[in-house]
Structure formats: structure tokens, C-alpha cells
Amino acid sequence: MALSLEMTLLRLKRMEAALIRSQLANSEVLPADDYDLIRYALVLARLQAIRPGAVALERPEHSTVPDVMLADEPLQALRATLLDLLYEPLREQRNLLVRLAHLRKLSDRVRVATRDARLALLAAHKDEFSPDDLDKEVCHKVLVMIPGGGGGAGFVYSGFVARMQADGIAPSYIVGSSIGALLGGLMARDRQPDIPALIAWGKALKVPQIFSQPVVGPALSLPGLVRLHLRGMDQMLRKADGSPMRLKDLAIPYDAVVAGVKASAYASMPKFKPSRLHSTRLPMRIAERMVHMLSYFSPKVATEVLLGATPETHNVRVVDAIGLSSAIPGVLQYAPWQEDEQSLAILQAIREQQGLASFMDGGMVSNVPARAAWRSVEAGRIGRRNAYYLAMDCFGPQWGVGHTWLYPVTQMIQAQLPAQRPYYDWLVQFTKTPSPVNLLPSEEMFDMAYSSGWEQAETVMPQLKAALKPIRMPSLD
């Protein structure tokens, strides 16, 4: 059966990721020019459009130059050739030495196919972009970071990002769910976020600055045990003039995944009685409520809403996108400290257009939203198409205090991952994290999470640096 275009492009993407890992493990078999050639070919083959001049811009998503949709015939021929020649050695051959030796033998055929496709594209678009525009897009890869949900476990992301920053690596796009949306939104505020300052700010937060008693009556999200009002975060996410930051104002393009609860299913969902908040019993009450989350993991109940991906949602207040993506059903009810009329109007329009009763935690529909990230990039969200997709999962099953009782929930979350797997290049599954119910950790727990994230980043850094290193333009003669 013929592959769809999307699956063809995803296969080519994962073939390049396999090539990078293989060459990193053994660089003595495949000559450097052949390695650059095959990577160039695999990137070129999966382009559908380019934005001329975007590579040279700090904010390519703001470019007013329109995208150029590439002529399909040359690319179809190149895709067919590369899948025929390279899929077996790159995706099915497990012996790396045999794999790389096989690739070396195929390099001349790859060179001819790549040269022909490139020349045909340049001829078809000679008045729309230059050879330099095309080659720069192919040779320069950007990082898309996809931090997933997991409550307090997600504080490990701070150390991971700090480790990347230490090597000069920064994301060009962040798409997050739940705690991944929360921390991702803070990191997107500045092009070079001050991680130590953010950690110090987080350590200084007190419960009343983030949480309070739930509100009774209409709210943006489902009812919960605790009101998530994010007053302290709202103060952080403001511009110099005091006005609220909106998604379009962030220094790094950022989208938050939110689950929309379908009106048709709302009446049959579990209902929770309001109760007074007692801090000494809070972890146990959260534990009880989180087990009920299993009722919400169904496409009949919820649909994915990506705030920030479309112009219609660019004016959503950042704190609202974060709050809704973090609103765990039955646990956290997002009701902002101060409502924003512009955000409310946009969110109400979404509810009416999509037939939604309410919003809730993005992890209910896509805890590690790689598919949403990939599709947004392909649609032109950041002005670039050549990207490396780094997914981050902090909600895998763990044994120990604060983790074991969540096993049914973590298993349900893990069941989402196979559908996301084709869309990311690498998944970091954190194995040492705070408990997910520890929503506002102590200073000691913050430090542990930071150290754990930094430590686990070490194993990924060589591959990440290799993937983001510009490709040397190969000889195509």
C-alpha cells in the first residue's frame, strides 16, 4: 500500500535521525562528504515549501516574504529514490558498520538523484528564490522542543534546558502540554532565558501566589480541588508597560496544547463536589482525584486545541494558555486572578466553533505533543521547515514514594506515545523526577529536579549538537 505524503516525509525524517546517530557512533566508515550528501538529500526530499531569506532572520516567523510551495515532481522522484535505496540500511539494518558501509556504496546514486532534483527545483523557481536560499534552508536545522506534562515531575526540565544553554543551544519553537506548557511559556519569554533567575523566582513562590480555594460557578476550565489562578505568574508575564504578554509577544515562538471537552460528552463526565482546602491533606486528595483522570482519556470526550498556532489565537494571554493547559480535571481549576476580555473572547469563539463545553489539561489529549509541533512547522508556523524535534517525557512509570500509586495514570499517558513517535527525532524519558503531585516543590526538591535534568541532558547533548551542526554543502558533481 502506498504511503501517504505525511508518512513519507516522516520516514525520511527518521532516516536522517538514524544517520546522525550512526555516524556519531562510528565516523570512520562513511566519509564526511558522503555523510553530508545523504543528510542534504534527506532534508531536501522532505521540503514542501521554503520562505526565502528566513534563515538569515532572527525571527523568521515574522518575515513578510510569502512561502514558496515547491514543485512536486522533482521531490517525488527524489523521495522515491531515497526510500528505495536508503530505508533498509538506515531503518532495518542493526549492525552499524554494515549500515554505514552500505551507505558508502550507495552515495554516488544518491548524489545523482539529489543533483537532478535540486537543479529541477531551481529551474522551476528561478524567479522566486536563489540557490543560496534553498541550500541554507537545507543545511541549517533549528530545534523544536516539546516538553510534556506530568505535574511536579516536570521541574526536571529546568536543569535540562540549563544544560543545553551551557552549550549555546536554544530552541526556535516550543510546544508544550501541562507542566511542559507552564515551564515552556516561561522559557519562551526571553530569547536567552535566565534559568537561575527563574529557579530563584520559583523557589520564592508561595501557595497563595498560585493556588486558592476553587470558585463556584462558570470558569474557563472544569471544576477542581484547587483553584489555579497564577497571580504570581501573571505578574512575571507582563511587558515593560505593565500590559499582559500575549502569545505573539514571546521571544521564542510558543504554543500550548489544551484539551477541549466536547459538549456532547460533558454531561456524562465525573462530577466533583466542592470542598474546603486543607493543606495537610492536599497530596492525598490530589492523589484520589488524579485517578479519576482515566475517565477523560478518550477522543469521544476531548479534542486537541493548539493555542498560538493560528493567527486567531496569537492574542491569547500567555498566562491563560499556561493555565488552561495545566488544568488537571478534578484537581486544578483554572480561574485567572484577573480575567482578560480579549482572551475570553477568543476562547469563547473556539468553544462555539468546535462545540466545546470547557477546557482542561492538554495532557488528556496529547501529553507529549510531537504531532502538533511537526504539523505546525510544516504549515509555516516558524518560517523554517528543517527542524530537529526533541520530545521530553517526565511522566513515565516510576517506583517509589509519590510515584507508584500513579501507575494506572502513567500507563494511560504512555499509551499515547506510539501515535506521537513518528513525529519526534528523539524522546528524553526522565527517570528521576519529583512526584507529579508535588505541584510547588520545596527548595530542596527544586534543586534535586534541576540536578536530575542537567544530568540526564548529558546523554543527549552529543546527538543534539551533531543534529544542529550545519551541514557542509556537499559536492553534487
Side-chain angles (χ1 to χ4, degrees):
M1 185 173 68
L3 293 173
S4 67
L5 175 59
E6 178 167 300
M7 291 311 299
T8 297
L9 301 180
L10 293 172
R11 279 198 175 187
L12 293 166
K13 179 178 72 66
R14 292 182 71 80
M15 287 162 64
E16 187 200 6
L19 173 63
I20 293 167
R21 294 194 296 271
S22 302
Q23 188 74 353
L24 192 60
N26 193 320
S27 60
E28 303 301 319
V29 179
L30 187 66
D33 188 64
D34 289 347
Y35 169 71
D36 291 330
L37 164 70
I38 297 172
R39 280 196 65 191
Y40 183 99
L42 290 168
V43 175
L44 178 64
R46 63 179 189 269
L47 288 182
Q48 298 181 83
I50 69 167
R51 191 168 299 176
V55 175
L57 301 176
E58 183 176 340
R59 299 296 302 269
E61 74 276 11
H62 290 166
S63 171
T64 58
V65 177
D67 289 339
V68 176
M69 303 306 297
L70 298 180
D72 196 45
E73 187 174 343
L75 293 173
Q76 280 188 345
L78 181 59
R79 291 166 191 155
T81 298
L82 296 179
L83 288 172
D84 182 56
L85 292 177
L86 305 180
Y87 184 79
E88 188 280 330
L90 281 172
R91 298 297 292 159
E92 296 178 355
Q93 174 56 253
R94 297 303 167 199
N95 185 305
L96 292 185
L97 294 179
V98 173
R99 172 187 292 181
L100 293 168
H102 194 173
L103 294 175
R104 182 172 184 172
K105 294 177 181 178
L106 296 170
S107 62
D108 285 343
R109 295 169 67 183
V110 172
R111 197 180 312 276
V112 171
T114 305
R115 179 195 63 206
D116 291 348
R118 179 178 178 274
L119 290 175
L121 282 174
L122 293 175
H125 300 285
K126 63 184 180 198
D127 297 324
E128 296 173 285
F129 57 79
S130 69
D132 189 55
D133 286 326
L134 179 63
D135 294 337
K136 282 184 175 178
E137 175 65 26
V138 174
C139 292
H140 293 80
K141 195 179 293 293
V142 295
L143 175 63
V144 174
M145 193 170 74
I146 311 163
F155 289 104
V156 295
Y157 298 153
S158 60
F160 190 97
V161 173
R163 178 65 187 86
M164 289 199 314
Q165 196 176 68
D167 271 6
I169 296 174
S172 293
Y173 182 33
I174 301 173
V175 181
S177 275
S178 195
I179 188 69
L182 189 153
L183 295 176
L186 290 175
M187 292 169 187
R189 191 186 68 162
D190 301 301
R191 178 63 63 175
Q192 292 293 330
D194 188 338
I195 303 297
L198 288 174
I199 292 289
W201 170 80
K203 288 180 178 180
L205 282 176
K206 305 300 180 185
V207 169
Q209 295 172 286
I210 300 293
F211 305 114
S212 68
Q213 299 287 347
V215 299
V216 177
L220 287 172
S221 73
L222 293 174
L225 179 66
V226 180
R227 177 189 180 187
L228 179 70
H229 58 66
L230 296 179
R231 175 169 59 92
M233 191 165 291
D234 180 31
Q235 294 167 349
M236 167 74 77
L237 292 168
R238 288 186 174 269
K239 295 187 285 189
D241 63 3
S243 62
M245 294 189 77
R246 304 190 184 277
L247 295 176
K248 66 180 182 181
D249 299 322
L250 293 169
I252 299 173
Y254 159 87
D255 296 338
V257 174
V258 173
V261 183
K262 297 179 180 179
S264 57
Y266 181 69
S268 60
M269 289 296 94
K271 300 300 187 291
F272 301 100
K273 295 180 180 179
S275 59
R276 299 295 296 174
L277 185 61
H278 301 285
S279 59
T280 56
R281 299 173 56 200
L282 184 57
M284 183 57 68
R285 299 291 300 281
I286 291 175
E288 293 171 355
R289 293 290 181 92
M290 287 187 79
V291 173
H292 287 281
M293 287 168 54
L294 299 176
S295 303
Y296 294 91
F297 289 103
S298 169
K300 294 181 180 179
V301 172
T303 188
E304 183 179 276
V305 177
L306 195 59
L307 298 179
T310 60
E312 293 77 16
T313 60
H314 286 177
N315 281 311
V316 169
R317 194 170 51 167
V318 177
V319 72
D320 292 328
I322 289 172
L324 289 174
S325 187
S326 306
I328 304 170
V331 178
L332 296 178
Q333 172 202 47
Y334 178 61
W337 183 257
Q338 292 182 333
E339 291 186 336
D340 179 79
E341 290 186 5
Q342 195 168 7
S343 267
L344 290 177
I346 295 168
L347 294 168
Q348 181 59 28
I350 293 172
R351 289 167 65 174
E352 292 173 357
Q353 292 163 8
Q354 300 191 28
L356 305 178
S358 188
F359 298 103
M360 63 180 177
D361 190 296
M364 300 297 103
V365 287
S366 187
N367 200 54
V368 182
R371 176 170 49 206
W374 184 85
R375 288 179 175 173
S376 288
V377 170
E378 289 296 307
R381 170 71 172 92
I382 60 173
R384 303 285 306 281
R385 267 78 175 187
N386 182 13
Y388 186 87
Y389 297 83
L390 179 67
M392 303 159 74
D393 177 23
C394 67
F395 205 41
Q398 295 185 51
W399 301 110
V401 176
H403 292 278
T404 306
W405 61 269
L406 272 172
Y407 192 79
V409 180
T410 55
Q411 284 295 92
M412 187 68 76
I413 289 290
Q414 293 302 300
Q416 296 179 347
L417 282 177
Q420 302 293 331
R421 186 169 292 121
Y423 299 89
Y424 58 70
D425 292 300
W426 191 255
L427 174 67
V428 183
Q429 291 189 289
F430 293 88
T431 56
K432 185 181 178 183
T433 70
S435 169
V437 300
N438 200 346
L439 300 177
L440 198 59
S442 64
E443 289 194 27
E444 181 182 2
M445 191 60 68
F446 256 116
D447 291 338
M448 183 280 285
Y450 179 91
S451 297
S452 178
W454 182 287
E455 178 184 333
Q456 292 180 81
E458 293 288 352
T459 60
V460 186
M461 292 307 299
Q463 181 187 160
L464 195 53
K465 288 191 282 188
L468 297 176
K469 182 180 180 180
I471 300 172
R472 292 173 297 183
M473 185 64 196
S475 171
L476 297 176
D477 298 327

